[in-house]
């Protein structure tokens, strides 16, 4: 029995007419009749009962149709996968990432992607979230990995990874004196309202973490007093360590800081400070096979 034989049976089971089925299969009616009879002899069962010009499925034929349909679906799926791999042998993939994603997440994804598809050249644009959205809409990149929320309602997305945002305070801040040492790898919790009189080190406008944190301060009833703005979270951590103010740091960065960073990190109680990193794009049909594969790998590693 060959895959072609299964296709013949499934098609005849749908049409229940040899002439129509033969036309659909682009073969002659006698050839189809002979193929079905040959398969029935091979299997030792009757798949179709023939009465004048009508054809009906037997019980064996019904079972064959059900599993045969599944086999054909799997065959088509496998064929598409092989075609996708063929298309992934060479080409270019233009993507966008934020600096945070580029530093802590991108290398792991790139390493796996590069091993699987060495012929695909990845061109990376690094920008703020707002800048990356603009690049997608202008067709400069296929997709970008950036934090929610998206500004443009023209873009769709799928989740990649979620991380919490922590509050970094100077080592000499009075609140540290009232806290017990947390277990290794854990953080104490604080209320953001306790810091309404503190100076804040913030990222520049256009970076999602700034928007998230200003909204949190306002929800607590105060406007943060911003004394310094920067593009780099390492700078935020350094200035906080030097006692210049408090700042917001993604948990990934807080755990990766060197011994030179003396800031103390806290979880923010009753604050939805989790950042969801997503792959954003114009629409799914616009994504190439290599883009879909990159997003799949990212989700498999961090999702």
């Amino acid at each position: 029995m060959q895959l072609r034989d299964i296709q013949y049976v499934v098609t005849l089971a749908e049409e229940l007419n040899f002439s129509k089925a033969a036309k659909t299969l682009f073969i002659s009616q006698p050839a189809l009749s002979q193929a079905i009879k040959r398969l029935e002899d091979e299997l030792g069962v009757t798949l179709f009962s023939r009465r004048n010009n009508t054809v009906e499925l037997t019980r064996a034929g019904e079972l064959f149709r059900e599993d045969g349909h599944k086999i054909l679906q799997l065959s088509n799926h496998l064929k598409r996968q092989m075609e996708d791999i063929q298309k992934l042998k060479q080409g270019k993939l233009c993507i966008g990432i934020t600096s945070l994603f580029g530093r802590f997440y991108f290398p792991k994804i790139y390493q796996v992607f590069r091993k699987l598809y060495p012929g695909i050249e990845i061109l990376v644009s690094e920008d703020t979230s707002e800048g990356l959205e603009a690049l997608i809409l202008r067709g400069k990149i296929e997709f970008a990995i950036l934090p929610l929320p998206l500004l443009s309602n023209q873009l769709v997305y799928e989740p990649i990874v979620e991380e919490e945002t922590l509050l970094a305070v100077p080592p000499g801040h009075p609140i540290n004196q009232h806290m017990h040492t947390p277990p290794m790898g854990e953080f104490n919790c604080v209320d953001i309202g306790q810091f309404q009189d503190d100076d804040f080190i913030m990222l520049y406008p256009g970076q999602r973490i700034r928007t998230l944190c200003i909204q949190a301060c306002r929800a607590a009833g105060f406007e943060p007093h911003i004394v310094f703005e920067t593009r780099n979270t390492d700078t935020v951590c350094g200035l906080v360590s030097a006692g210049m103010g408090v700042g917001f740091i993604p948990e990934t960065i807080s755990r990766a800081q060197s011994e030179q960073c003396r800031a103390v990190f806290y979880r923010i109680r009753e604050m939805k400070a989790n950042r969801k990193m997503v792959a954003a794009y114009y629409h799914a049909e616009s994504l190439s096979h290599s883009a879909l594969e990159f997003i799949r790998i990212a989700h498999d590693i961090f999702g």
Side-chain angles (χ1 to χ4, degrees), residues 63-228:
L63 294 175
F64 192 105
R65 177 188 58 185
E66 292 175 7
D67 287 345
H69 185 65
K70 295 176 183 178
I71 292 172
L72 292 177
Q73 285 184 317
L74 289 172
S75 174
N76 291 333
H77 177 67
L78 180 61
K79 187 182 298 183
R80 286 194 300 269
Q81 285 185 316
M82 296 303 102
E83 290 174 350
D84 286 349
I85 291 176
Q86 177 67 25
K87 293 176 182 178
L88 285 167
K89 285 187 176 181
Q90 59 183 0
K92 290 183 179 181
L93 173 61
C94 299
I95 70 174
I97 57 176
T98 60
S99 58
L100 173 66
F101 193 90
R103 179 179 175 187
F104 292 99
Y105 297 104
F106 178 76
K108 294 181 180 179
I109 304 171
Y110 180 77
Q111 184 180 29
V112 174
F113 186 91
R114 186 68 176 173
K115 286 182 178 180
L116 292 174
Y117 311 109
I120 301 296
E121 178 185 3
I122 297 182
L123 304 178
V124 177
S125 295
E126 189 172 314
D127 205 334
T128 64
S129 298
E130 290 183 12
L132 292 175
E133 286 193 39
L135 290 176
I136 297 173
L137 294 173
R138 287 159 48 198
K140 298 297 183 180
I141 56 178
E142 287 196 50
F143 70 92
I145 299 182
L146 70 171
L148 291 179
L150 301 181
L151 296 180
S152 174
N153 57 13
Q154 298 183 61
L155 301 180
V156 294
Y157 65 86
E158 54 185 283
I160 298 296
V161 64
E162 183 173 349
E163 65 173 2
E164 189 170 1
T165 301
L166 305 178
L167 182 70
V169 306
H173 197 285
I175 199 169
N176 298 330
Q177 302 173 11
H178 307 292
M179 294 292 180
H180 298 292
T181 302
M184 182 68 66
E186 296 297 322
F187 304 96
N188 286 319
C189 293
V190 295
D191 295 312
I192 190 62
Q194 296 175 263
F195 301 87
Q196 58 183 334
D197 296 325
D198 283 89
D199 294 330
F200 280 78
I201 315 297
M202 285 281 188
L203 297 177
Y204 282 129
Q207 295 181 264
R208 292 288 192 268
I209 192 170
R210 175 192 173 102
T211 303
L212 176 72
C213 296
I214 287 181
Q215 289 175 346
C217 293
R218 290 173 178 169
F222 72 95
E223 192 72 24
H225 181 238
I226 302 172
V227 296
F228 193 87

Side-chain angles (χ1 to χ4, degrees), residues 13 25 40 43 61 63 73 117 129-130 174 220 226 230 235 240-241 264 269 271-272 291 299 301:
L25 293 166
E40 289 177 325
L43 297 175
L63 294 175
Q73 285 184 317
Y117 311 109
S129 298
E130 290 183 12
I226 302 172
T230 177
T235 303
V240 171
S241 297
V264 180
R269 188 180 292 113
M271 170 182 164
K272 294 182 179 180
H299 187 271
I301 295 177

